[in-house]
Amino acid sequence: MKKALIVWGGWDGHEPEQVAGIFANILRNHQFDVEVADTLEAYADAEKLMCLDLIVPVWTMGEIPQAYVNNVSAAVQNGTGLAGCHGGMCDSFRHNVDWQFMTGGQWVAHPGNDGIEYMVEIKQSSSPLVAGMEDFKVVSEQYYLHVDPAVEVLATTRFPVADGPHRLNKAVDMPVVWTKRWGIGRVYYNSLGHHADIVAMPEVTELMTRGLLWAAEGKQLAREMYGGQALKQQNHYTGMGDSQ
């Protein structure tokens, strides 16, 4: 069985316990051995993280010890998948740029707050992760993010919809779903998921299911690619001393 760790907590407004429960059910339905933790100390055991197939953060805002970020980063660099949604992954630790570099983006605003109606537009040709899916409408927060230009964008939303100081800029297609690599690990993010009912929408659940499974497959594929061993990359992460 593949092994997954879900870590939930932080700001209660994003219903982290309920969202973590949805993700746990998805993974257990796909025969994962799932551990669910409500403390960041779950990231303290570096060797344990290395043995996982998937880490799922569901933690909005707060502070995290740098050593815990280093442990997660090393595990992902060596093949452990990382997948999450909304503020639970890309608004987790606003002062930790290592986390933001690894995950591929950071929330900066949601013009109009909750209750904005907008379209999620699927990039049909970009990836089998969105094959057969159609554009869909959602009423929720519309995330404006600062995004790593290296990500592969799988879905977007058009800004502006709500008023704000950004409105006089040209219209932009903001990434909603993306993938990237961190070392040999697979990273998946979906900006939807302000509350558990949004995560439970059929379209969002399908996107998250595909993303969770895709991220978790990376470790075995990496073993096969590198002759049965994950490529040890954590010592190759250099030039980031100013962030720590």
Side-chain angles (χ1 to χ4, degrees):
M1 297 179 73
K2 288 187 173 69
K3 294 183 179 182
L5 171 66
I6 301 173
V7 182
W8 67 268
W11 185 57
D12 285 338
H14 280 163
E15 300 179 352
E17 184 174 11
Q18 296 94 315
V19 172
I22 293 172
F23 292 158
N25 287 336
I26 289 171
L27 292 170
R28 287 175 178 141
N29 287 338
H30 285 84
Q31 311 307 312
F32 278 70
D33 178 6
V34 180
E35 177 185 350
V36 180
D38 62 357
T39 172
L40 292 175
E41 291 180 4
Y43 296 141
D45 188 337
E47 290 303 315
K48 178 179 177 180
L49 298 183
M50 287 280 191
C51 294
L52 297 173
D53 296 283
L54 180 66
I55 297 171
V56 184
V58 190
W59 197 291
T60 302
M61 295 185 283
E63 302 284 343
I64 187 171
Q66 183 63 42
Y68 292 179
V69 176
N70 293 347
N71 290 344
V72 175
S73 177
V76 177
Q77 288 179 65
N78 285 283
T80 299
L82 184 71
C85 74
H86 203 60
M89 182 160 138
C90 282
D91 190 23
S92 295
F93 313 111
R94 294 179 181 178
H95 298 294
N96 196 289
V97 294
D98 287 344
W99 185 271
Q100 295 163 22
F101 195 7
M102 174 175 61
T103 58
Q106 171 60 38
W107 169 88
V108 294
H110 41 64
N113 298 312
D114 196 12
I116 296 298
E117 181 178 282
Y118 61 97
M119 290 297 298
V120 176
E121 299 180 5
I122 302 296
K123 298 297 182 184
Q124 293 290 354
S125 63
S126 62
S127 170
L129 281 172
V130 291
M133 297 198 68
E134 301 292 334
D135 298 349
F136 62 94
K137 188 177 296 183
V138 66
V139 179
S140 185
E141 291 180 338
Q142 187 185 31
Y143 261 22
Y144 204 105
L145 299 122
H146 287 172
V147 180
D148 183 343
V151 303
E152 180 179 1
V153 178
L154 307 185
T156 62
T157 184
R158 175 59 62 96
F159 275 87
V161 174
D163 199 11
H166 63 300
R167 193 169 184 86
L168 292 181
N169 296 309
K170 65 180 181 179
V172 296
D173 291 319
M174 179 61 56
V176 173
V177 181
W178 69 68
T179 61
K180 67 171 288 184
R181 302 302 177 100
W182 189 246
I184 58 174
R186 294 178 169 188
V187 178
Y188 177 91
Y189 175 70
N190 185 333
S191 73
L192 300 169
H194 180 53
H195 291 138
D197 62 340
I198 300 298
V199 180
M201 288 176 57
E203 299 92 341
V204 182
T205 297
E206 180 64 21
L207 284 168
M208 286 306 307
T209 299
R210 294 185 188 192
L212 291 164
L213 298 180
W214 174 84
E217 289 171 355
K219 191 161 201 175
Q220 181 59 39
L221 294 176
R223 287 195 186 108
E224 294 170 1
M225 181 179 298
Y226 296 106
Q229 297 182 6
L231 180 64
K232 295 291 185 181
Q233 291 207 8
Q234 69 268 30
N235 293 328
H236 298 286
Y237 185 20
T238 59
M240 298 301 295
D242 287 347
S243 69
Q244 301 177 18

